[in-house]
């Protein structure tokens, strides 16, 4: 089948999509956020529900987003406009890609600040500052960073500079080469760190915490956190995968590619859990420590390793690059749109958008620097943006997008896009999306809002 053209280019090999989408999915969400959300939500119960959510919600919605992107091979905004016109749908559907783009944009404002922490820790690792850290010195190292707005601003600015430079490139260059090496390297390093951590830490208690199922731990908050994190971790609901779908080769089965992305995403998150928790229990760190979990417990283990500075530097370098490949996907939607619609150069578009993200990010890092100053609804800037995007924007966009795909668009058009010779589970996917994913997302999101 000849490939129809896409203004931004098409990835030469079907596998590049998997690496790029995997690069977007695997990020701080897996290594930094997953362990602490799991810790706050009771371990095994969260993991079980999370796996279910990946299968019943994350995967079907991911497939929907990617197929939507590949149908028209344009940026998400023009794609929805085009599809609405062709299928006589209401033109207001275009609000969905707009909201998606705005969600990605807002997430990047705090994602960049946290990525900046990773860069700061990369510097500390190279300087050998992890050696001999114990629980209290590791904690105070993290607190010192959080109370230094100047240092956070420096790293946040450097990170956004890198994001702008990378997104500014064409999608067929830079990114694809980077992720091909990066993702396997990240998995190998994590495997190594997890083995070490299980050897020196309390592996039995960690495994028990991660995999023990108990009905008592299963609360509504756990389910809510699991759905939210499944969407966040797979990068769905913010147009990143929608935009990447447009560059995917028609030779690749969307269902198979998405299933691989989900598998890799879960694997990396589990490995991160196996790095963190054996230490958390061995050093008696509070499992409910929240965002500081990775930045406090990991340096302790790295400091104890014989090749600590080296392994630490590699680990944080990979974390920064993993964050970078996620961050660039958050800007792709608007950059592609500005480039295709207004012929603005990619670098110029990335600079404008990235500059705005950088500016809002300053407010976020100030809220960390003065952690106790609660601003609105008892939440500081970071908590507010995090909750607003992951608990409200993300599910709303994911629901609207799924309704568009499952109910509004003609079935045979999707069928043509999705069915390849290799995999043919169209009916199955369509029904799960319609009758499981959408109702589950609506129910849980609304119940979460009214505080059930
Ligand atoms: N999935 C990424 C992670 O786990 C975060 C992300 C969100 C990436 C939104 C792109 C878009 O870190």
């Amino acid at each position: 089948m000849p490939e129809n053209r896409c203004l931004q280019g098409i990835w030469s090999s079907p596998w590049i999509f998997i690496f790029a989408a995997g690069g977007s999915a695997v990020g701080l969400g897996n290594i930094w956020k997953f362990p602490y959300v799991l810790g706050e939500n009771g371990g095994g119960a969260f993991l079980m529900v999370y796996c279910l959510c990946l299968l019943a919600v994350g995967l079907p919605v991911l497939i929907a987003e990617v197929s939507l992107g590949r149908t028209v091979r344009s940026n998400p905004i023009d794609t929805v406009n085009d599809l609405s016109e062709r299928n006589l749908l209401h033109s207001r559907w275009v609000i969905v890609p707009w909201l998606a783009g705005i969600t990605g944009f807002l997430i990047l404002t705090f994602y960049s600040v946290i990525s900046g922490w990773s860069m700061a820790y990369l510097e500390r690792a190279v300087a050998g500052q992890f050696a001999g850290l114990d629980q209290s010195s590791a904690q105070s190292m993290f607190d010192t960073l959080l109370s230094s707005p100047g240092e956070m601003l420096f790293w946040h600015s450097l990170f956004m500079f890198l994001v702008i430079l990378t997104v500014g490139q064409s999608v067929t260059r830079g990114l694809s080469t980077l992720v091909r090496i990066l993702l396997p390297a990240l998995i190998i390093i994590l495997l190594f760190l997890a083995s070490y951590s299980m050897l020196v830490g309390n592996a039995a208690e960690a495994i028990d915490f991660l995999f023990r199922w108990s009905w008592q731990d299963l609360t509504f908050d756990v389910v809510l956190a699991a759905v939210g994190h499944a969407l966040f971790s797979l990068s769905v609901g913010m147009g990143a995968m929608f935009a990447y779908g447009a560059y995917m080769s028609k030779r690749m089965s969307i269902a198979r590619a998405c299933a691989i992305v989900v598998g890799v995403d879960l694997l990396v998150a589990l490995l991160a859990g196996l790095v963190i928790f054996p230490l958390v229990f061995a050093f008696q760190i509070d499992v409910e420590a929240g965002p500081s979990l990775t930045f406090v417990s990991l340096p302790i283990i790295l400091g104890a390793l014989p090749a600590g500075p080296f392994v630490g530097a590699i680990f944080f370098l990979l974390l920064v690059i993993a964050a970078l490949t996620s961050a660039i996907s958050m800007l792709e939607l608007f950059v592609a749109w500005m480039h295709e619609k207004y012929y603005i150069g990619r670098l110029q578009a990335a600079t404008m958008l990235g500059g705005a993200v950088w500016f809002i990010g300053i407010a976020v890092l100030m809220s960390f620097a003065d952690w106790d100053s609660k601003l609105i609804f008892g939440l500081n800037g970071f908590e507010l943006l995090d909750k607003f995007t992951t608990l409200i924007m993300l599910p709303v966009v994911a629901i609207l997008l799924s309704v568009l795909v499952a109910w509004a668009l003609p079935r045979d058009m999707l069928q043509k896009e999705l069915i390849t010779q290799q995999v043919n589970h169209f009916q199955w996917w369509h029904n799960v999306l319609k009758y499981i994913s959408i109702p589950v997302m609506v129910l849980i999101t609304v119940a979460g809002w009214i505080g059930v």
Side-chain angles (χ1 to χ4, degrees):
M1 192 193 312
E3 297 271 7
N4 40 345
R5 281 200 52 228
C6 170
L7 249 174
Q8 318 271 347
I10 303 240
W11 283 318
S12 51
S13 128
W15 281 93
I16 298 183
F17 171 81
I18 296 193
F19 283 113
S24 168
V26 171
L28 297 175
N30 305 62
I31 299 165
W32 164 69
K33 201 169 179 184
F34 176 79
Y36 90 73
V37 175
L38 186 117
E40 286 176 337
N41 288 284
F46 175 84
L47 184 61
M48 269 302 241
V49 183
Y50 180 68
C51 290
L52 269 178
C53 289
L54 282 182
L55 277 183
V57 181
L59 180 61
V61 180
L62 179 63
I63 295 177
E65 234 192 278
V66 175
S67 2
L68 209 49
R70 204 172 69 172
T71 48
V72 180
R73 282 227 183 287
S74 183
N75 66 81
I77 295 173
D78 288 336
T79 296
V80 174
N81 271 332
D82 186 286
L83 289 174
S84 324
E85 232 166 79
R86 268 198 270 158
N87 299 294
L88 306 174
L89 305 179
H90 203 294
S91 60
R92 288 222 186 102
W93 277 110
V94 75
I95 197 154
V96 179
W98 270 100
L99 284 178
I102 293 170
T103 311
F105 175 91
L106 287 178
I107 289 179
L108 188 52
T109 60
F110 64 85
Y111 203 84
S112 165
V113 176
I114 318 279
S115 305
W117 296 353
S118 315
M119 292 174 115
Y121 268 69
L122 169 59
E123 190 208 18
R124 284 163 172 69
V126 173
Q129 290 180 17
F130 294 162
L133 280 184
D134 59 14
Q135 163 64 12
S136 76
S137 50
Q139 183 67 51
S140 86
M141 177 186 274
F142 187 58
D143 292 342
T144 311
L145 175 65
L146 289 192
S147 52
S148 324
E151 192 187 354
M152 283 197 282
L153 178 62
F154 172 75
W155 295 116
H156 162 62
S157 311
L158 183 60
F159 186 78
M160 279 315 297
F161 176 72
L162 293 175
V163 170
I164 291 169
L165 271 192
T166 322
V167 189
Q169 305 266 321
S170 85
V171 290
T172 47
R173 287 220 317 262
L175 163 73
S176 38
T177 332
L178 198 71
V179 283
R180 230 188 299 201
I181 308 164
L182 179 88
L183 214 50
L186 185 72
I187 293 174
I188 292 169
I189 294 274
L190 278 175
L191 268 171
F192 167 69
L193 281 177
S195 327
Y196 185 84
S197 174
M198 304 238 294
L199 270 177
V200 299
N202 191 339
E205 207 170 329
I207 289 180
D208 187 53
F209 177 70
L210 274 168
F211 299 106
R212 190 197 48 220
W213 170 262
S214 134
W215 282 103
Q216 287 156 2
D217 295 336
L218 185 68
T219 63
F220 185 72
D221 284 344
V222 168
V223 182
L224 192 65
V227 177
H229 189 67
L231 298 177
F232 180 87
S233 188
L234 290 181
S235 310
V236 293
M238 49 218 116
M241 297 299 190
F242 192 156
Y244 278 180
Y247 319 135
M248 182 189 194
S249 159
K250 294 260 183 201
R251 281 176 288 148
M252 185 83 192
S253 145
I254 293 182
R256 175 174 296 173
C258 292
I260 296 176
V261 170
V262 173
V264 170
D265 193 64
L266 179 63
L267 175 73
V268 174
L270 278 177
L271 283 176
L274 288 175
V275 174
I276 304 288
F277 287 108
L279 289 172
V280 163
F281 290 112
F283 289 83
Q284 289 166 353
I285 296 166
D286 179 13
V287 284
E288 292 183 30
S292 68
L293 200 56
T294 307
F295 289 98
V296 175
S297 48
L298 205 61
I300 300 176
I301 169 183
L302 291 169
L305 267 170
F310 178 69
V311 179
I314 302 234
F315 176 82
F316 279 103
L317 179 67
L318 285 173
L319 188 57
V320 170
I321 303 175
L324 188 66
T325 54
S326 295
I328 54 177
S329 70
M330 297 180 203
L331 283 189
E332 182 58 33
L333 187 154
F334 282 139
V335 169
W337 175 69
M338 285 162 80
H339 182 59
E340 290 175 10
K341 178 120 183 149
Y342 300 106
Y343 305 105
I344 299 175
R346 282 187 64 97
L347 188 60
Q348 220 179 330
T351 308
M352 288 193 257
L353 286 163
V357 168
W358 173 79
F359 190 71
I360 302 175
I362 297 177
V364 176
L365 66 89
M366 292 308 291
S367 80
F368 277 115
D370 190 5
W371 185 257
D372 293 331
S373 71
K374 303 291 182 195
L375 295 174
I376 311 168
F377 305 127
L379 302 170
N380 67 27
F382 160 69
E383 290 167 333
L384 198 69
L385 268 169
D386 182 28
K387 296 245 178 317
F388 178 66
T389 47
T390 46
L391 297 181
I392 301 179
M393 300 278 289
L394 254 177
V396 168
V397 177
I399 291 167
L400 290 176
L401 194 133
S402 308
V403 170
L404 171 65
V405 172
W407 296 97
L409 288 173
R411 220 186 116 93
D412 41 328
M413 184 197 83
L414 291 167
Q415 204 158 350
K416 242 180 33 215
E417 195 57 55
L418 270 156
I419 291 193
T420 60
Q421 282 141 338
Q422 313 137 33
V423 185
N424 186 0
H425 300 315
F426 178 79
Q427 189 60 43
W428 198 82
W429 161 75
H430 206 239
N431 285 337
V432 173
L433 186 64
K434 260 181 166 168
Y435 303 114
I436 301 181
S437 316
I438 297 177
V440 166
M441 287 191 288
V442 172
L443 235 153
I444 289 175
T445 311
V446 174
W449 291 349
I450 54 180
V452 174

